[in-house]
Amino acid sequence: MFVAPRRSQARQVRTPSDQPSAPSSDTEVPVWDLPTRLFHWALVLAVSVTLGTGLFGMPQRLNLHLLAGGSVAVLLVFRLIWGLVGPAASRFSTALASPRRVLDRLRRADTATYLGHNPLAGAVLFGLLGLLGLLVVTGLVSLGGEEQRGPLAASLSWTTGRRAHGLHELLAWGVIGAVVLHLGGMLIESLHLRENLPAAMVTGLRRRPDAGAVELPALRPRRTLGAVAFVALVLLGGAWLASTWGTAPSGWSSLDEHPDQALFEAECGSCHTLYHPSLLAADEWTLVMQTLDEHFGEDASLMPEPAERITALLIEHGNGTWDTEAANELRGQQDPAEPMAVTSNRWWAEHHRDLEEAALASPDVRSPGNCEACHLDAVQGRFGGHRIDVPRSAQP
Amino acid sequence: MKPTSALLAALALLAALPVLAASAPGARAAILDGFAERARAADPGFEGFDGERGRALFEGDWGLGKPDTPSCTTCHGPDPRRAGQTRAGKTIEPLAVSVTPSRFTDPDEVAKWFFRNCRSVLGRECTAQEQGDFMTFATGL
């Protein structure tokens, strides 16, 4: 696979240039073609944004995280194709080396200069691409199961999404580790060779190596095939997204069809946020409806007939019947001393700890029970991280 | 369409306008009549409703019901022509009929809210006299 030519051979095996206009001189040779360089820097940007939003911006920056993560997925598709049909330096075949050769490189038994990826760099490349691929997959599973969004929302349970989320976080640290290895290796290699390798990823040019360097095989990029495959795969992915967009999530159903939904909305939503039936268990709802004359400091009595119909709706659609994030997290966490107040729920309290007095004093929030002041999808019972919008007056 | 029939149609429309416009006031008058009837039954000396007594009821700092709602103004705010806010943060449309024309037009809603809110603020149900005074106050604003 690798060509370790003698000096005479090195002249013959010209490093393939897929850019006829790429400057080649006596001192420099083109290695990284333009698509690979664009891919590299676009991936740097996309991974930085996904890591930044993932580590520091959750849940408010989820949409940006998804946008950047989606970009990573598209870039991976390109790299996968370019690894098979691109120019020599970008081909997986030239980066792939046996574990023995990777170890040799690590132990400095192999100190050759490689124009493309050395065995260790190749291992880091595959590790990084593999980790990013797994991150895309676990991200989609987590999004579908936990947040009930995306193409997998209709087919995954919350528990599955939750597990994938844990794995997703673990893999993210793996990516950070792989990036550190990549940067460390690049730095060591740059110092060792006294060559500016990061600049090579900008210009595409590397210093013409001395004798004994491992040059690249003569492989011409198959641009048309690559472009067709890329467009086809991206269209296929797009069609998959489009066909699954907006399908009903598995753990969540709309109450709009319920004959008493309008009554429920009108009666229970006139003084406070229309608390979603999934927020309390059936027996807790029964208690709420039996004590409407002492309802959180006010009399909220209803006539018997509408009260009965609303009670039936709440029991039918109580917490136990939902597989949403909120329903799962709130389940069993209610304070027995205050069975009717969602704000006494342990999970709720944990996630609203930073809800400072200032926020509650804001005229736009006023009460900790005013869910919809910040959760734009509270009434639907979704409580998506991306739908949190704290009003300006409540921000610290 | 002949000119005469067009004229007739226009006249019919004009004749219908007051009826359409009167539907909300009509509903309010019916509700108020109901209060008057009940007030008279409770007190043969009933002398009609008084918006000023309604205002006193609205503005009074009663503190007789639930501790968190001592007055109507706790939630409705001091100016009935402006929106109020529930303790849970929801906006309450202004009480004044001149600002919220749908006020006091649904007898079930009127009964429900007087029942609840009088118990929350006064710790008891309001009399027909009180409800009629209050309605007169809110309608006259």
Side-chain angles (χ1 to χ4, degrees):
Chain A
M1 186 88 37
F2 282 86
V3 187
R6 283 169 291 141
R7 194 176 179 80
S8 58
Q9 255 181 324
R11 291 238 168 80
Q12 279 173 347
V13 185
R14 302 292 299 183
T15 307
S17 164
D18 57 295
Q19 297 165 92
S21 61
S24 185
S25 67
D26 287 343
T27 52
E28 287 176 320
V29 282
V31 175
W32 309 114
D33 69 328
L34 186 64
T36 303
R37 280 178 277 149
L38 286 177
F39 157 81
H40 178 271
W41 295 112
L43 191 69
V44 168
L45 180 68
V47 168
S48 303
V49 174
T50 23
L51 276 176
T53 50
L55 294 173
F56 309 109
M58 288 297 158
Q60 290 85 347
R61 298 277 172 269
L62 181 58
N63 275 353
L64 183 59
H65 183 75
L66 296 178
L67 190 71
S71 309
V72 169
V74 172
L75 289 168
L76 284 179
V77 168
F78 161 79
R79 191 61 184 88
L80 210 65
I81 293 165
W82 218 226
L84 298 173
V85 301
S90 304
R91 292 249 182 143
F92 293 146
S93 57
T94 67
L96 191 66
S98 67
R100 218 189 103 102
R101 291 188 52 218
V102 176
L103 269 178
D104 280 351
R105 184 71 181 179
L106 200 59
R107 288 194 307 234
R108 296 196 160 274
D110 165 16
T111 54
T113 303
Y114 288 78
L115 261 189
H117 292 94
N118 68 50
L120 193 55
V124 171
L125 168 75
F126 290 120
L128 197 49
L129 293 182
L131 281 169
L132 289 175
L134 287 173
L135 269 160
V136 170
V137 172
T138 52
L140 274 177
V141 172
S142 170
L143 184 74
E146 257 187 319
E147 298 281 330
Q148 307 200 307
R149 292 174 67 201
L152 301 173
S155 39
L156 295 174
S157 72
W158 177 82
T159 314
T160 308
R162 181 89 177 150
R163 290 199 185 118
H165 192 166
L167 207 57
H168 191 71
E169 287 181 359
L170 211 63
L171 288 163
W173 289 106
V175 162
I176 293 173
V179 168
V180 168
L181 286 179
H182 170 64
L183 292 176
M186 184 269 304
L187 194 68
I188 290 169
E189 201 71 8
S190 291
L191 291 173
H192 176 69
L193 295 172
R194 295 174 191 281
E195 185 179 355
N196 189 344
L197 290 177
M201 195 44 88
V202 175
T203 62
L205 301 172
R206 282 196 63 182
R207 198 171 61 207
R208 186 170 288 285
D210 299 329
V214 182
E215 298 214 16
L216 291 156
L219 290 167
R220 299 195 70 80
R222 303 176 70 180
R223 288 168 168 276
T224 315
L225 179 64
V228 168
F230 178 69
V231 170
L233 281 176
V234 167
L235 282 180
L236 213 65
W240 180 52
L241 279 181
S243 70
T244 51
W245 201 259
T247 47
S250 60
W252 180 85
S253 51
S254 169
L255 284 174
D256 291 348
E257 323 269 277
H258 197 287
D260 287 330
Q261 170 67 8
L263 174 74
F264 170 58
E265 267 180 42
E267 294 298 355
C268 302
S270 49
C271 296
H272 52 67
T273 291
L274 185 69
Y275 298 123
H276 194 259
S278 66
L279 299 185
L280 289 178
D283 53 344
E284 289 155 0
W285 279 128
T286 307
L287 196 62
V288 169
M289 295 304 291
Q290 282 168 349
T291 56
L292 283 178
D293 57 331
E294 288 287 348
H295 191 67
F296 295 90
E298 283 178 47
D299 189 309
S301 302
L302 281 170
M303 295 299 280
E305 196 254 355
E308 264 168 45
R309 279 162 59 195
I310 291 171
T311 307
L313 179 146
L314 290 169
I315 290 175
E316 188 187 339
H317 295 285
N319 175 281
T321 66
W322 301 83
D323 193 31
T324 57
E325 183 173 29
N328 276 287
E329 297 282 20
L330 291 169
R331 192 168 301 146
Q333 298 295 309
Q334 196 69 12
D335 179 0
E338 277 186 89
M340 300 190 288
V342 178
T343 50
S344 74
N345 185 290
R346 278 187 289 273
W347 185 74
W348 186 94
E350 218 169 87
H351 284 260
H352 294 85
R353 216 176 271 152
D354 56 348
L355 201 74
E356 289 168 27
E357 300 283 317
L360 299 182
S362 147
D364 297 312
V365 180
R366 195 157 172 181
S367 153
N370 190 359
C371 313
E372 64 190 344
C374 306
H375 291 279
L376 306 182
D377 57 353
V379 170
Q380 287 82 38
R382 311 261 331 224
F383 298 94
H386 64 299
R387 302 298 307 280
I388 298 172
D389 185 15
V390 179
R392 195 161 284 276
S393 64
Q395 284 172 11
Chain B
M1 197 178 271
K2 281 188 285 184
T4 44
S5 53
L7 189 69
L8 277 175
L11 279 174
L13 200 66
L14 269 178
L17 273 178
V19 179
L20 289 171
S23 61
R28 262 191 294 276
I31 291 170
L32 201 61
D33 284 349
F35 285 139
E37 205 175 299
R38 279 171 46 205
R40 200 170 291 115
D43 174 15
F46 171 69
E47 288 176 350
F49 296 122
D50 176 1
E52 278 313 302
R53 275 202 303 266
R55 178 190 294 280
L57 182 63
F58 176 75
E59 289 175 350
D61 192 12
W62 304 103
L64 299 169
K66 316 257 187 228
D68 292 321
T69 53
S71 166
C72 305
T73 57
T74 305
C75 297
H76 287 287
D79 183 354
R81 273 168 295 245
R82 302 186 64 168
Q85 195 182 33
T86 69
R87 289 165 52 242
K90 277 250 178 178
T91 300
I92 306 173
E93 295 297 305
L95 264 180
V97 168
S98 56
V99 189
T100 314
S102 62
R103 281 278 179 205
F104 305 101
T105 53
D106 180 336
D108 289 344
E109 286 291 298
V110 170
K112 180 180 82 181
W113 287 109
F114 268 129
F115 179 85
R116 290 173 165 189
N117 294 352
C118 289
R119 283 163 54 112
S120 288
V121 173
L122 300 172
R124 60 168 173 84
E125 287 183 54
C126 287
T127 62
Q129 174 80 55
E130 284 169 326
Q131 294 177 66
D133 288 342
F134 191 94
M135 225 185 114
T136 306
F137 162 63
T139 310
L141 286 166

